[in-house]
Amino acid sequence: MVQKDLLRDILRPEGSILIVFDVHRSLYEQIFNREEFLYALNAVINSARRAKVPIIFTRITPYPQGFQPPNLKLPWRGRFRPEGAELIVSPKPEDIIIDKNTWSLFVGTNVERLLINSHRYTVVFTGIATEVGIETSARHAYTLGFIPVIISDAVSSYDKEAHERSLANMKIFFPVITSKELENYW
């Protein structure tokens, strides 16, 4: 558990950025807690907008035909359907949209550079799927020197047990808080 004073410092709006990770309709339709997730996600986005915290939306972008890596033959790959690529929350013109084709927010994108250039070192994670892209990106952020913060009710998965296991794993290393707790800081 992170002390409130430390969390207040970590979550200063001028040093934070919100990540809305892969909230595609095709993924959203498969999660176990759609209504609760969407409510919390919207609350976090609204908090970020009020506090003037920049928001990055990520989108899964498939590799061109014939250029897919061999690991895409693994079973999880089938969960994303290109026809469900529409996002469930619409970015605003001031938001940043990052197209990516790996589970990590940082591989093949310029997100690390954006964070460094803007002097933002707290990366607040929301989105789908907790045990896949969220945990991968949070661990990657930490290895790059950033502070990941996970919003437990604004991340989800198609597998409730995997989601809960992932939150428990991440809680050992990073702050894991609720959308209501985040509102106290933003």
Side-chain angles (χ1 to χ4, degrees):
M1 184 78 154
V2 178
Q3 296 173 345
K4 288 187 180 211
D5 289 343
L6 180 56
L7 260 180
R8 187 168 314 291
D9 187 51
I10 289 170
L11 288 166
R12 289 176 306 104
E14 64 275 8
S16 300
I17 195 154
L18 174 62
I19 305 299
V20 181
F21 197 92
D22 293 356
V23 292
H24 297 278
R25 180 144 321 276
S26 66
L27 296 177
Y28 173 75
E29 290 171 355
Q30 299 175 59
I31 65 175
F32 69 91
N33 61 340
R34 283 189 295 279
E35 289 179 26
E36 299 85 359
F37 167 79
L38 189 56
Y39 180 83
L41 178 64
N42 281 317
V44 171
I45 290 170
N46 290 334
S47 291
R49 292 198 194 293
R50 280 192 304 275
K52 299 194 180 350
V53 171
I55 302 173
I56 292 178
F57 285 80
T58 69
R59 295 187 302 202
I60 299 169
T61 304
Y63 285 97
Q65 190 63 33
F67 292 92
Q68 303 92 339
N71 65 349
L72 291 185
K73 294 176 183 164
L74 297 174
W76 200 91
R77 173 72 172 112
R79 299 227 178 259
F80 174 73
R81 297 183 314 272
E83 68 275 8
E86 163 197 5
L87 300 178
I88 60 165
V89 178
S90 298
K92 292 200 173 191
E94 64 271 18
D95 297 332
I96 301 164
I97 300 171
I98 298 291
D99 291 322
K100 60 174 197 49
N101 32 39
T102 71
W103 290 354
S104 176
L105 173 66
F106 299 96
V107 173
T109 71
N110 64 351
V111 172
E112 180 182 10
R113 179 58 36 212
L114 295 175
L115 295 173
I116 291 169
N117 289 352
S118 66
H119 306 286
R120 294 177 188 277
Y121 291 91
T122 299
V123 185
V124 178
F125 284 95
T126 63
I128 305 168
T130 312
E131 76 283 10
V132 184
I134 302 296
E135 187 169 356
T136 299
S137 295
R139 290 179 182 280
H140 198 164
Y142 187 80
T143 64
L144 293 171
F146 300 108
I147 302 170
V149 176
I150 313 305
I151 309 305
S152 60
D153 53 339
V155 294
S156 190
S157 173
Y158 66 94
D159 184 332
K160 184 177 181 181
E161 288 179 16
H163 163 80
E164 290 171 353
R165 206 171 35 250
S166 181
L167 287 176
N169 287 339
M170 288 188 286
K171 198 172 202 170
I172 296 167
F173 302 103
F174 324 127
V176 175
I177 63 174
T178 67
S179 57
K180 288 279 185 213
E181 290 172 303
L182 180 65
E183 285 181 35
N184 294 328
Y185 300 102
W186 287 356

